Coordinates of all heavy atoms in Angstrom, one line a residue:
M251 N -8.4 -12.2 -28.0 CA -7.9 -11.9 -26.6 C -8.3 -10.5 -26.3 O -8.2 -9.6 -27.1 CB -6.4 -12.1 -26.6 CG -5.8 -11.7 -25.3 SD -4.0 -11.9 -25.2 CE -3.9 -13.7 -25.1
T252 N -8.6 -10.2 -25.0 CA -8.9 -8.9 -24.6 C -7.7 -8.0 -24.5 O -6.7 -8.4 -24.0 CB -9.6 -9.0 -23.2 OG1 -10.7 -9.8 -23.2 CG2 -10.0 -7.6 -22.7
T253 N -7.9 -6.8 -25.0 CA -6.8 -5.8 -25.0 C -7.2 -4.8 -24.0 O -8.3 -4.2 -24.0 CB -6.5 -5.2 -26.3 OG1 -6.1 -6.2 -27.3 CG2 -5.4 -4.1 -26.2
I254 N -6.3 -4.5 -23.0 CA -6.6 -3.5 -22.0 C -5.7 -2.3 -22.3 O -4.5 -2.4 -22.4 CB -6.3 -4.0 -20.6 CG1 -7.2 -5.2 -20.3 CG2 -6.5 -2.9 -19.5 CD1 -6.9 -6.0 -19.1
K255 N -6.3 -1.1 -22.5 CA -5.5 0.1 -22.6 C -5.4 0.8 -21.3 O -6.2 1.0 -20.5 CB -6.2 1.0 -23.6 CG -6.2 0.5 -25.1 CD -6.8 1.4 -26.0 CE -6.8 0.8 -27.4 NZ -7.3 1.7 -28.4
A256 N -4.1 1.1 -21.0 CA -3.7 1.8 -19.8 C -2.7 2.9 -20.2 O -2.2 2.9 -21.3 CB -3.2 0.9 -18.8
S257 N -2.4 3.7 -19.2 CA -1.4 4.8 -19.5 C -0.3 4.7 -18.6 O -0.4 4.4 -17.3 CB -2.0 6.2 -19.5 OG -2.4 6.5 -18.1
C258 N 0.9 4.9 -19.1 CA 2.2 4.9 -18.4 C 2.6 6.4 -18.3 O 2.5 7.1 -19.2 CB 3.2 4.1 -19.1 SG 4.9 4.4 -18.5
P259 N 3.0 6.8 -17.1 CA 3.4 8.3 -17.0 C 4.6 8.7 -17.9 O 4.6 9.8 -18.3 CB 4.0 8.3 -15.6 CG 3.4 7.2 -14.8 CD 3.2 6.1 -15.9
S260 N 5.4 7.7 -18.3 CA 6.4 8.0 -19.3 C 6.1 7.8 -20.7 O 6.5 8.6 -21.6 CB 7.7 7.2 -19.0 OG 8.1 7.4 -17.6
C261 N 5.4 6.7 -21.0 CA 5.1 6.3 -22.4 C 3.8 6.7 -23.0 O 3.6 6.6 -24.2 CB 5.3 4.8 -22.5 SG 6.9 4.2 -21.9
G262 N 2.9 7.1 -22.1 CA 1.5 7.4 -22.6 C 0.7 6.1 -22.6 O 0.9 5.2 -21.9
E263 N -0.2 6.0 -23.6 CA -1.1 4.9 -23.7 C -0.3 3.6 -24.2 O 0.5 3.7 -25.1 CB -2.2 5.2 -24.7 CG -3.3 4.1 -24.7 CD -4.5 4.5 -25.5 OE1 -5.2 5.4 -25.1 OE2 -4.7 3.9 -26.6
V264 N -0.6 2.5 -23.4 CA 0.0 1.3 -23.8 C -1.1 0.2 -23.8 O -2.2 0.4 -23.2 CB 1.1 0.8 -22.8 CG1 2.3 1.8 -22.8 CG2 0.5 0.8 -21.3
E265 N -0.9 -0.9 -24.5 CA -1.8 -1.9 -24.6 C -1.3 -3.1 -23.8 O -0.1 -3.5 -24.0 CB -2.1 -2.3 -26.0 CG -2.8 -1.2 -26.8 CD -3.3 -1.7 -28.2 OE1 -2.9 -2.8 -28.6 OE2 -4.0 -0.9 -28.9
L266 N -2.2 -3.8 -23.0 CA -1.8 -4.9 -22.1 C -2.8 -6.0 -22.4 O -3.9 -5.8 -22.9 CB -1.9 -4.4 -20.7 CG -1.1 -3.1 -20.3 CD1 -1.6 -2.6 -19.0 CD2 0.4 -3.4 -20.3
T267 N -2.4 -7.2 -21.9 CA -3.4 -8.3 -21.8 C -3.8 -8.5 -20.4 O -3.1 -8.0 -19.5 CB -2.7 -9.6 -22.4 OG1 -1.6 -10.0 -21.4 CG2 -2.1 -9.4 -23.8
P268 N -4.8 -9.2 -20.1 CA -5.2 -9.4 -18.8 C -4.1 -10.0 -17.9 O -4.0 -9.7 -16.7 CB -6.4 -10.4 -18.9 CG -7.0 -10.1 -20.2 CD -5.9 -9.8 -21.1
A269 N -3.3 -10.9 -18.5 CA -2.2 -11.5 -17.7 C -1.1 -10.5 -17.3 O -0.3 -10.7 -16.4 CB -1.5 -12.6 -18.6
D270 N -1.1 -9.3 -18.0 CA -0.1 -8.3 -17.7 C -0.5 -7.5 -16.5 O 0.3 -6.7 -15.9 CB 0.1 -7.3 -18.9 CG 0.6 -8.0 -20.1 OD1 1.4 -9.0 -20.0 OD2 0.3 -7.6 -21.2
V271 N -1.7 -7.5 -16.1 CA -2.3 -6.6 -15.1 C -2.6 -7.4 -13.7 O -3.1 -8.5 -13.8 CB -3.6 -5.9 -15.6 CG1 -4.2 -5.0 -14.5 CG2 -3.4 -5.3 -16.9
S272 N -2.2 -6.7 -12.7 CA -2.5 -7.3 -11.3 C -3.6 -6.3 -10.7 O -3.4 -5.1 -10.8 CB -1.3 -7.3 -10.4 OG -0.3 -8.2 -10.9
L273 N -4.6 -6.9 -10.2 CA -5.7 -6.1 -9.6 C -5.9 -6.5 -8.2 O -6.0 -7.7 -7.8 CB -7.0 -6.4 -10.4 CG -8.3 -5.7 -9.8 CD1 -8.2 -4.2 -9.7 CD2 -9.5 -6.2 -10.6
V274 N -5.7 -5.6 -7.3 CA -5.9 -5.8 -5.8 C -7.1 -5.0 -5.4 O -7.1 -3.7 -5.4 CB -4.6 -5.4 -5.1 CG1 -4.8 -5.6 -3.6 CG2 -3.4 -6.2 -5.6
V275 N -8.1 -5.7 -4.9 CA -9.3 -5.1 -4.4 C -9.3 -5.1 -2.9 O -9.2 -6.2 -2.3 CB -10.6 -5.8 -4.9 CG1 -11.9 -5.2 -4.4 CG2 -10.6 -5.8 -6.5
C276 N -9.4 -3.9 -2.3 CA -9.2 -3.8 -0.9 C -10.6 -3.6 -0.2 O -11.5 -3.1 -0.8 CB -8.4 -2.6 -0.6 SG -8.1 -2.3 1.2
S277 N -10.7 -4.2 1.0 CA -12.0 -4.0 1.8 C -12.3 -2.6 2.1 O -13.4 -2.2 2.2 CB -11.9 -4.8 3.1 OG -10.8 -4.4 3.8
H278 N -11.3 -1.7 2.0 CA -11.4 -0.3 2.1 C -11.2 0.3 0.7 O -10.1 0.4 0.2 CB -10.4 0.3 3.1 CG -10.5 1.8 3.3 ND1 -11.6 2.4 3.8 CD2 -9.6 2.8 3.0 CE1 -11.4 3.7 3.9 NE2 -10.2 3.9 3.4
A279 N -12.3 0.5 0.0 CA -12.3 0.7 -1.5 C -11.2 1.8 -2.0 O -10.6 1.5 -3.0 CB -13.7 1.2 -1.9
P280 N -11.0 2.9 -1.2 CA -9.9 3.8 -1.8 C -8.6 3.2 -1.9 O -7.7 3.8 -2.5 CB -10.0 5.0 -0.7 CG -11.4 4.9 -0.1 CD -11.7 3.4 -0.1
L281 N -8.3 2.1 -1.3 CA -7.0 1.5 -1.3 C -6.8 0.4 -2.4 O -5.8 -0.2 -2.6 CB -6.6 0.9 0.0 CG -6.5 1.9 1.2 CD1 -6.2 1.2 2.5 CD2 -5.5 3.0 0.9
S282 N -7.9 0.2 -3.2 CA -7.8 -0.8 -4.3 C -7.0 -0.2 -5.4 O -7.0 1.0 -5.6 CB -9.2 -1.1 -4.8 OG -10.0 -1.7 -3.9
Y283 N -6.3 -1.0 -6.1 CA -5.4 -0.6 -7.1 C -5.1 -1.7 -8.2 O -5.3 -2.8 -8.0 CB -4.0 -0.1 -6.6 CG -3.1 -1.2 -5.9 CD1 -2.2 -1.9 -6.7 CD2 -3.3 -1.5 -4.6 CE1 -1.4 -2.9 -6.2 CE2 -2.5 -2.5 -4.1 CZ -1.6 -3.2 -4.9 OH -0.9 -4.2 -4.3
Y284 N -4.6 -1.2 -9.4 CA -4.1 -2.1 -10.3 C -2.7 -1.7 -10.7 O -2.3 -0.5 -10.5 CB -5.0 -2.2 -11.6 CG -5.1 -1.0 -12.4 CD1 -4.3 -0.9 -13.6 CD2 -5.9 0.0 -12.1 CE1 -4.3 0.3 -14.3 CE2 -5.9 1.2 -12.9 CZ -5.1 1.3 -14.0 OH -5.2 2.4 -14.8
S285 N -1.9 -2.7 -11.1 CA -0.6 -2.4 -11.5 C -0.1 -3.3 -12.7 O -0.7 -4.3 -13.0 CB 0.4 -2.7 -10.3 OG 0.4 -4.0 -9.9
F286 N 0.9 -2.8 -13.4 CA 1.5 -3.5 -14.5 C 2.9 -3.0 -14.8 O 3.3 -2.0 -14.4 CB 0.6 -3.3 -15.8 CG 0.5 -1.9 -16.2 CD1 1.3 -1.3 -17.1 CD2 -0.6 -1.1 -15.6 CE1 1.2 0.1 -17.4 CE2 -0.7 0.2 -16.0 CZ 0.2 0.8 -16.9
A287 N 3.7 -3.9 -15.4 CA 5.0 -3.5 -15.8 C 4.8 -3.0 -17.3 O 4.3 -3.6 -18.1 CB 6.0 -4.7 -15.8
C288 N 5.1 -1.7 -17.4 CA 5.0 -1.0 -18.8 C 5.8 -1.8 -19.9 O 7.0 -2.0 -19.7 CB 5.4 0.4 -18.7 SG 5.3 1.2 -20.3
P289 N 5.1 -2.2 -20.9 CA 5.8 -2.9 -22.0 C 6.8 -1.9 -22.7 O 7.7 -2.5 -23.4 CB 4.7 -3.3 -22.9 CG 3.5 -2.4 -22.6 CD 3.7 -2.0 -21.2
G290 N 6.6 -0.6 -22.6 CA 7.5 0.3 -23.3 C 8.8 0.5 -22.5 O 9.9 0.4 -23.0
C291 N 8.7 0.8 -21.2 CA 9.9 1.2 -20.4 C 10.2 0.3 -19.3 O 11.1 0.5 -18.5 CB 9.7 2.7 -19.9 SG 8.4 2.8 -18.7
T292 N 9.3 -0.7 -19.1 CA 9.5 -1.8 -18.0 C 9.3 -1.2 -16.6 O 9.4 -1.9 -15.6 CB 10.8 -2.5 -18.1 OG1 11.9 -1.7 -17.7 CG2 11.0 -3.1 -19.5
E293 N 8.9 0.1 -16.5 CA 8.6 0.7 -15.2 C 7.3 0.0 -14.6 O 6.4 -0.2 -15.3 CB 8.4 2.2 -15.4 CG 8.7 3.1 -14.2 CD 10.0 3.0 -13.6 OE1 11.0 2.8 -14.2 OE2 10.0 3.0 -12.3
Q294 N 7.4 -0.2 -13.3 CA 6.2 -0.7 -12.6 C 5.2 0.5 -12.4 O 5.6 1.5 -11.8 CB 6.6 -1.4 -11.3 CG 5.4 -2.1 -10.7 CD 5.0 -3.4 -11.4 OE1 5.8 -4.0 -12.1 NE2 3.8 -3.8 -11.2
V295 N 4.0 0.4 -13.0 CA 3.0 1.5 -12.8 C 1.9 0.9 -11.9 O 1.4 -0.2 -12.1 CB 2.4 1.8 -14.2 CG1 1.4 2.9 -14.1 CG2 3.5 2.2 -15.2
R296 N 1.5 1.8 -11.0 CA 0.4 1.4 -10.0 C -0.6 2.6 -10.0 O -0.2 3.8 -9.8 CB 1.0 1.2 -8.7 CG 0.0 0.8 -7.6 CD 0.7 0.5 -6.3 NE -0.2 0.6 -5.2 CZ 0.0 0.0 -4.1 NH1 1.1 -0.7 -3.8 NH2 -0.8 0.2 -3.1
K297 N -1.8 2.2 -10.1 CA -2.8 3.3 -10.2 C -4.0 2.8 -9.3 O -4.3 1.7 -9.2 CB -3.4 3.5 -11.6 CG -2.2 4.0 -12.5 CD -2.8 4.5 -13.8 CE -1.6 5.3 -14.5 NZ -2.1 6.0 -15.6
P298 N -4.8 3.8 -8.7 CA -6.0 3.5 -8.0 C -7.0 2.9 -8.8 O -7.1 3.2 -10.0 CB -6.4 4.8 -7.4 CG -5.7 5.9 -8.2 CD -4.5 5.3 -8.8
A299 N -7.8 2.0 -8.3 CA -8.9 1.3 -9.0 C -10.2 1.6 -8.3 O -10.5 1.0 -7.2 CB -8.6 -0.1 -9.2
D300 N -11.1 2.5 -8.8 CA -12.4 2.7 -8.2 C -13.3 1.5 -8.7 O -12.9 0.6 -9.4 CB -12.9 4.0 -8.6 CG -13.1 4.3 -10.1 OD1 -13.2 3.3 -10.8 OD2 -13.3 5.5 -10.4
D301 N -14.5 1.6 -8.2 CA -15.5 0.5 -8.5 C -15.6 0.3 -10.1 O -15.7 -0.9 -10.5 CB -16.9 0.7 -7.9 CG -16.8 0.6 -6.4 OD1 -15.8 0.0 -5.9 OD2 -17.8 1.1 -5.8
H302 N -15.7 1.3 -10.8 CA -15.8 1.3 -12.3 C -14.6 0.6 -12.9 O -14.8 -0.3 -13.7 CB -16.0 2.7 -12.8 CG -16.2 2.7 -14.3 ND1 -17.3 2.1 -14.9 CD2 -15.4 3.2 -15.3 CE1 -17.2 2.3 -16.2 NE2 -16.1 2.9 -16.5
V303 N -13.4 1.0 -12.5 CA -12.2 0.3 -13.0 C -12.1 -1.1 -12.6 O -11.8 -2.0 -13.4 CB -10.9 1.1 -12.5 CG1 -9.6 0.4 -12.9 CG2 -11.0 2.5 -13.1
V304 N -12.5 -1.5 -11.4 CA -12.5 -2.8 -10.9 C -13.4 -3.7 -11.8 O -13.1 -4.8 -12.3 CB -12.8 -3.0 -9.5 CG1 -13.1 -4.4 -9.1 CG2 -11.8 -2.4 -8.6
S305 N -14.6 -3.1 -12.1 CA -15.6 -3.8 -12.9 C -15.1 -4.1 -14.3 O -15.2 -5.2 -14.9 CB -16.9 -3.1 -13.0 OG -17.5 -3.0 -11.7
L306 N -14.5 -3.0 -14.9 CA -13.9 -3.1 -16.2 C -12.8 -4.2 -16.3 O -12.8 -5.0 -17.3 CB -13.4 -1.8 -16.7 CG -14.4 -0.7 -17.1 CD1 -13.7 0.6 -17.5 CD2 -15.2 -1.2 -18.3
L307 N -11.9 -4.2 -15.4 CA -10.8 -5.1 -15.4 C -11.2 -6.5 -15.2 O -10.8 -7.5 -15.9 CB -9.7 -4.7 -14.3 CG -9.0 -3.4 -14.7 CD1 -8.0 -3.1 -13.5 CD2 -8.2 -3.5 -15.9
V308 N -12.2 -6.8 -14.2 CA -12.7 -8.1 -14.0 C -13.4 -8.6 -15.2 O -13.2 -9.8 -15.6 CB -13.6 -8.1 -12.7 CG1 -14.3 -9.4 -12.6 CG2 -12.7 -7.9 -11.5
S309 N -14.2 -7.8 -15.8 CA -15.0 -8.2 -17.0 C -14.0 -8.5 -18.2 O -14.3 -9.3 -19.1 CB -16.1 -7.2 -17.4 OG -15.4 -6.0 -17.9
G310 N -12.8 -7.8 -18.1 CA -11.8 -8.1 -19.2 C -11.0 -9.3 -18.9 O -10.1 -9.7 -19.7
G311 N -11.2 -10.0 -17.8 CA -10.5 -11.2 -17.5 C -9.4 -11.1 -16.6 O -8.6 -12.0 -16.4
V312 N -9.2 -9.9 -15.9 CA -8.2 -9.8 -14.9 C -8.6 -10.3 -13.6 O -9.6 -9.9 -13.0 CB -7.8 -8.3 -14.7 CG1 -6.8 -8.1 -13.7 CG2 -7.3 -7.7 -16.0
P313 N -7.9 -11.3 -13.1 CA -8.3 -11.9 -11.7 C -8.0 -10.9 -10.6 O -7.0 -10.2 -10.6 CB -7.5 -13.1 -11.6 CG -6.3 -12.9 -12.5 CD -6.7 -12.0 -13.6
A314 N -9.0 -10.8 -9.7 CA -8.8 -9.8 -8.6 C -8.3 -10.6 -7.4 O -8.7 -11.7 -7.0 CB -10.2 -9.2 -8.2
T315 N -7.3 -10.0 -6.7 CA -6.9 -10.5 -5.4 C -7.5 -9.6 -4.4 O -7.4 -8.3 -4.5 CB -5.3 -10.3 -5.4 OG1 -4.8 -11.1 -6.5 CG2 -4.8 -10.8 -4.0
V316 N -8.1 -10.2 -3.4 CA -8.8 -9.5 -2.3 C -7.8 -9.2 -1.2 O -7.1 -10.1 -0.8 CB -10.0 -10.2 -1.8 CG1 -10.6 -9.4 -0.7 CG2 -11.0 -10.4 -2.9
W317 N -7.8 -8.0 -0.7 CA -6.9 -7.6 0.4 C -7.7 -7.0 1.5 O -8.4 -6.0 1.3 CB -5.9 -6.6 -0.2 CG -5.0 -6.0 1.0 CD1 -4.3 -6.6 1.9 CD2 -4.7 -4.6 1.2 NE1 -3.6 -5.7 2.7 CE2 -3.9 -4.5 2.2 CE3 -5.1 -3.4 0.5 CZ2 -3.4 -3.3 2.8 CZ3 -4.7 -2.2 1.0 CH2 -3.8 -2.1 2.1
E318 N -7.6 -7.6 2.7 CA -8.4 -7.1 3.8 C -7.4 -6.2 4.6 O -6.5 -6.6 5.1 CB -8.8 -8.2 4.7 CG -9.9 -9.1 4.1 CD -11.3 -8.6 4.0 OE1 -11.6 -7.7 4.8 OE2 -12.0 -9.1 3.2
V319 N -7.8 -4.9 4.6 CA -6.9 -3.9 5.4 C -7.2 -4.1 6.9 O -8.4 -4.2 7.3 CB -7.1 -2.5 4.9 CG1 -8.5 -2.0 5.2 CG2 -6.1 -1.6 5.5
P320 N -6.1 -4.2 7.7 CA -6.4 -4.4 9.2 C -7.2 -3.2 9.7 O -6.8 -2.1 9.3 CB -5.0 -4.5 9.7 CG -4.1 -4.8 8.6 CD -4.8 -4.3 7.3
A321 N -8.1 -3.5 10.5 CA -9.0 -2.4 11.1 C -8.2 -1.3 11.8 O -8.5 -0.2 11.7 CB -10.0 -3.0 12.0
E322 N -7.1 -1.7 12.5 CA -6.3 -0.7 13.2 C -5.6 0.3 12.3 O -5.3 1.4 12.7 CB -5.4 -1.4 14.1 CG -4.3 -2.3 13.5 CD -4.8 -3.7 13.4 OE1 -6.0 -4.0 13.4 OE2 -3.9 -4.6 13.3
A323 N -5.4 -0.1 11.0 CA -4.8 0.8 10.1 C -5.7 1.9 9.7 O -5.3 3.0 9.2 CB -4.4 0.0 8.8
L324 N -7.1 1.7 9.9 CA -8.0 2.8 9.5 C -8.5 3.6 10.8 O -9.3 4.5 10.6 CB -9.2 2.2 8.9 CG -8.9 1.3 7.6 CD1 -10.1 0.6 7.1 CD2 -8.2 2.3 6.5
E325 N -8.0 3.3 11.9 CA -8.4 4.0 13.1 C -7.9 5.5 13.1 O -6.8 5.7 12.6 CB -7.8 3.4 14.4 CG -8.3 2.0 14.7 CD -7.6 1.4 15.9 OE1 -6.6 1.9 16.4 OE2 -8.1 0.3 16.3
P326 N -8.8 6.4 13.5 CA -8.3 7.8 13.6 C -7.1 8.0 14.5 O -7.1 7.3 15.6 CB -9.6 8.6 14.0 CG -10.5 7.6 14.6 CD -10.1 6.2 14.0
R327 N -6.2 8.8 14.2 CA -5.1 9.0 15.0 C -5.1 10.4 15.7 O -5.4 11.4 15.1 CB -3.8 8.8 14.1 CG -3.6 7.4 13.7 CD -2.4 7.2 12.9 NE -2.2 5.8 12.6 CZ -3.0 5.1 11.8 NH1 -4.1 5.5 11.3 NH2 -2.7 3.8 11.6
T328 N -4.8 10.4 17.0 CA -4.8 11.6 17.7 C -3.4 11.7 18.4 O -2.6 10.8 18.4 CB -5.9 11.7 18.8 OG1 -5.7 10.6 19.7 CG2 -7.2 11.6 18.2
G329 N -3.1 12.9 18.9 CA -1.8 13.1 19.6 C -0.8 13.6 18.7 O -1.0 13.7 17.5
P330 N 0.4 13.8 19.3 CA 1.5 14.4 18.5 C 2.1 13.3 17.5 O 2.0 12.1 17.7 CB 2.6 14.7 19.5 CG 2.2 13.8 20.7 CD 0.8 13.6 20.6
V331 N 2.6 13.9 16.4 CA 3.1 13.0 15.3 C 4.5 12.5 15.8 O 5.3 13.2 16.5 CB 3.3 13.9 14.1 CG1 4.0 13.1 13.0 CG2 2.0 14.4 13.5
L332 N 4.7 11.2 15.5 CA 6.0 10.6 15.9 C 7.1 11.3 15.0 O 7.0 11.4 13.8 CB 5.9 9.1 15.5 CG 7.0 8.3 16.1 CD1 7.0 8.2 17.6 CD2 6.9 6.8 15.5
T333 N 8.1 11.7 15.7 CA 9.2 12.3 15.0 C 10.4 11.4 14.9 O 10.5 10.4 15.5 CB 9.7 13.6 15.8 OG1 10.2 13.2 17.1 CG2 8.5 14.6 16.0
Y334 N 11.4 11.9 14.1 CA 12.6 11.1 14.0 C 13.4 11.0 15.3 O 13.9 10.0 15.6 CB 13.5 11.9 12.9 CG 14.7 11.1 12.5 CD1 14.6 9.9 11.7 CD2 16.0 11.5 12.8 CE1 15.7 9.2 11.4 CE2 17.1 10.8 12.5 CZ 17.0 9.6 11.7 OH 18.1 8.9 11.4
D335 N 13.3 12.0 16.1 CA 14.0 12.0 17.4 C 13.3 11.0 18.3 O 13.9 10.3 19.1 CB 13.9 13.4 18.1 CG 14.9 14.4 17.5 OD1 15.9 13.9 16.9 OD2 14.7 15.6 17.7
D336 N 12.0 10.9 18.2 CA 11.2 9.8 19.0 C 11.7 8.4 18.6 O 12.0 7.6 19.5 CB 9.7 9.9 18.7 CG 9.1 11.2 19.2 OD1 9.6 11.8 20.2 OD2 8.1 11.6 18.6
L337 N 11.9 8.2 17.3 CA 12.5 6.9 16.9 C 13.9 6.7 17.4 O 14.2 5.5 17.8 CB 12.4 6.8 15.4 CG 11.0 6.7 14.8 CD1 11.1 6.8 13.2 CD2 10.2 5.5 15.3
L338 N 14.7 7.7 17.4 CA 16.1 7.6 17.9 C 16.0 7.2 19.4 O 16.8 6.4 19.8 CB 16.9 8.8 17.6 CG 17.3 9.0 16.1 CD1 18.0 10.4 16.0 CD2 18.2 7.9 15.7
D339 N 15.2 7.9 20.1 CA 15.1 7.7 21.6 C 14.7 6.2 21.8 O 15.2 5.5 22.7 CB 14.0 8.6 22.2 CG 14.6 10.0 22.3 OD1 15.8 10.2 22.2 OD2 13.7 10.9 22.5
L340 N 13.7 5.7 21.0 CA 13.3 4.3 21.1 C 14.4 3.4 20.8 O 14.6 2.4 21.6 CB 12.1 4.0 20.1 CG 11.6 2.6 20.1 CD1 11.1 2.2 21.5 CD2 10.5 2.4 19.1
A341 N 15.1 3.7 19.8 CA 16.3 2.7 19.4 C 17.3 2.7 20.5 O 17.9 1.6 20.9 CB 16.9 3.2 18.1
I342 N 17.6 3.9 21.1 CA 18.5 3.9 22.3 C 18.0 3.1 23.4 O 18.7 2.4 24.0 CB 18.8 5.4 22.7 CG1 19.6 6.1 21.5 CG2 19.5 5.5 24.0 CD1 19.7 7.6 21.7
Q343 N 16.7 3.3 23.8 CA 16.1 2.5 24.9 C 16.2 1.1 24.6 O 16.4 0.3 25.5 CB 14.6 3.0 25.0 CG 14.4 4.4 25.7 CD 14.8 4.3 27.2 OE1 14.7 3.3 27.8 NE2 15.3 5.4 27.7
L344 N 15.9 0.6 23.3 CA 15.9 -0.8 23.0 C 17.3 -1.4 23.2 O 17.5 -2.5 23.6 CB 15.5 -1.0 21.5 CG 14.0 -0.8 21.3 CD1 13.7 -0.9 19.8 CD2 13.2 -1.9 22.1
A345 N 18.3 -0.5 22.9 CA 19.7 -1.0 23.1 C 20.2 -1.1 24.5 O 21.0 -1.8 24.8 CB 20.6 -0.1 22.3
E346 N 19.5 -0.3 25.4 CA 19.9 -0.2 26.8 C 19.1 -1.1 27.8 O 19.6 -1.4 28.9 CB 19.8 1.2 27.3 CG 20.7 2.2 26.6 CD 20.6 3.6 27.1 OE1 19.6 3.9 27.8 OE2 21.4 4.5 26.7
T347 N 18.0 -1.6 27.4 CA 17.2 -2.4 28.3 C 16.5 -3.6 27.6 O 16.1 -3.5 26.5 CB 16.2 -1.6 29.1 OG1 15.5 -2.4 30.0 CG2 15.2 -0.9 28.1
D348 N 16.3 -4.6 28.3 CA 15.6 -5.8 27.8 C 14.1 -5.7 28.3 O 13.3 -6.5 27.9 CB 16.2 -7.1 28.3 CG 17.5 -7.4 27.7 OD1 17.7 -6.9 26.5 OD2 18.4 -8.0 28.3
L349 N 13.9 -4.8 29.3 CA 12.5 -4.7 29.8 C 11.9 -3.3 29.5 O 11.8 -2.5 30.4 CB 12.6 -4.9 31.3 CG 13.1 -6.2 31.8 CD1 13.3 -6.3 33.3 CD2 12.2 -7.4 31.3
L350 N 11.7 -3.1 28.2 CA 11.2 -1.8 27.8 C 9.8 -1.4 28.2 O 9.6 -0.2 28.6 CB 11.3 -1.7 26.2 CG 11.0 -0.4 25.6 CD1 12.1 0.6 26.1 CD2 11.0 -0.5 24.1
A351 N 9.0 -2.4 28.4 CA 7.6 -2.0 28.8 C 7.5 -1.3 30.1 O 6.8 -0.3 30.2 CB 6.7 -3.3 28.7
P352 N 8.2 -1.9 31.1 CA 8.1 -1.1 32.4 C 8.7 0.2 32.3 O 8.2 1.2 32.9 CB 8.9 -2.0 33.4 CG 8.8 -3.4 32.8 CD 8.8 -3.2 31.3
V353 N 9.7 0.4 31.5 CA 10.4 1.7 31.4 C 9.4 2.7 30.7 O 9.2 3.8 31.1 CB 11.7 1.6 30.6 CG1 12.2 3.0 30.2 CG2 12.7 0.8 31.3
A354 N 8.8 2.2 29.6 CA 7.8 3.0 28.9 C 6.6 3.4 29.8 O 6.0 4.5 29.7 CB 7.3 2.3 27.7
A355 N 6.2 2.6 30.7 CA 5.1 2.8 31.6 C 5.6 3.7 32.8 O 4.7 4.1 33.6 CB 4.5 1.5 32.1
G356 N 6.9 4.0 32.9 CA 7.4 4.9 33.9 C 7.5 4.2 35.3 O 7.6 4.8 36.3
R357 N 7.5 2.8 35.3 CA 7.5 2.1 36.6 C 9.0 1.8 37.0 O 9.2 1.6 38.1 CB 6.7 0.8 36.4 CG 5.3 1.1 36.4 CD 4.5 -0.3 36.3 NE 4.6 -0.7 34.9 CZ 4.1 -1.8 34.4 NH1 3.4 -2.6 35.2 NH2 4.2 -2.1 33.2
V358 N 9.9 1.8 36.1 CA 11.3 1.5 36.4 C 12.2 2.5 35.7 O 12.0 2.8 34.5 CB 11.6 0.0 35.9 CG1 13.1 -0.3 36.1 CG2 10.7 -1.0 36.5
A359 N 13.1 3.0 36.4 CA 14.1 3.9 35.8 C 15.0 3.1 34.9 O 15.4 2.0 35.2 CB 14.9 4.6 36.8
S360 N 15.3 3.7 33.7 CA 16.2 3.0 32.8 C 17.6 3.2 33.3 O 18.6 2.6 33.0 CB 16.1 3.5 31.4 OG 16.3 4.9 31.4
Ligands
ZN92 ZN1 6.4 3.2 -19.8

């Protein structure tokens, strides 16, 4: 049986079997990762998986789950950052009106 060596932040190097490891390969490569429950401390460990790590894990018998990241999640963002106060204002608006879209567009006074 294939033995996979990985490291846990608390326990150091640990040995795993392919069944112990979950591999998620993302269409946006930097978001690919593998995870496992540490056999020493039972902590869930998650680490990034570059192409080399993906190849090693797949060749070791770890099945890959493909994850397609939604395109809108990768769009560049402009404008001011949403603040906690913005979220509170939204929650208050949601509680006060059933027709939020016209209010947000400035067509109807709340
Ligand atoms: Zn551990």
Side-chain angles (χ1 to χ4, degrees):
M251 176 182 286
T252 303
T253 300
I254 298 169
K255 291 185 178 181
S257 65
C258 167
S260 301
C261 306
E263 188 173 288
V264 295
E265 293 188 354
L266 308 163
T267 67
D270 297 329
V271 181
S272 295
L273 172 62
V274 178
V275 179
C276 183
S277 56
H278 182 62
L281 297 179
S282 297
Y283 66 91
Y284 66 98
S285 63
F286 57 92
C288 175
C291 66
T292 70
E293 201 59 37
Q294 190 70 25
V295 179
R296 178 174 161 161
K297 297 193 170 190
D300 62 17
D301 289 346
H302 181 66
V303 171
V304 169
S305 295
L306 285 174
L307 291 174
V308 169
S309 68
V312 177
T315 301
V316 176
W317 174 50
E318 297 283 338
V319 65
E322 59 269 23
L324 301 175
E325 292 176 352
R327 293 183 173 64
T328 58
V331 175
L332 191 65
T333 66
Y334 190 68
D335 286 340
D336 294 332
L337 291 175
L338 286 175
D339 290 344
L340 175 63
I342 291 168
Q343 286 288 331
L344 288 172
E346 292 178 350
T347 182
D348 292 331
L349 301 173
L350 188 60
V353 174
R357 288 180 284 183
V358 176
S360 59

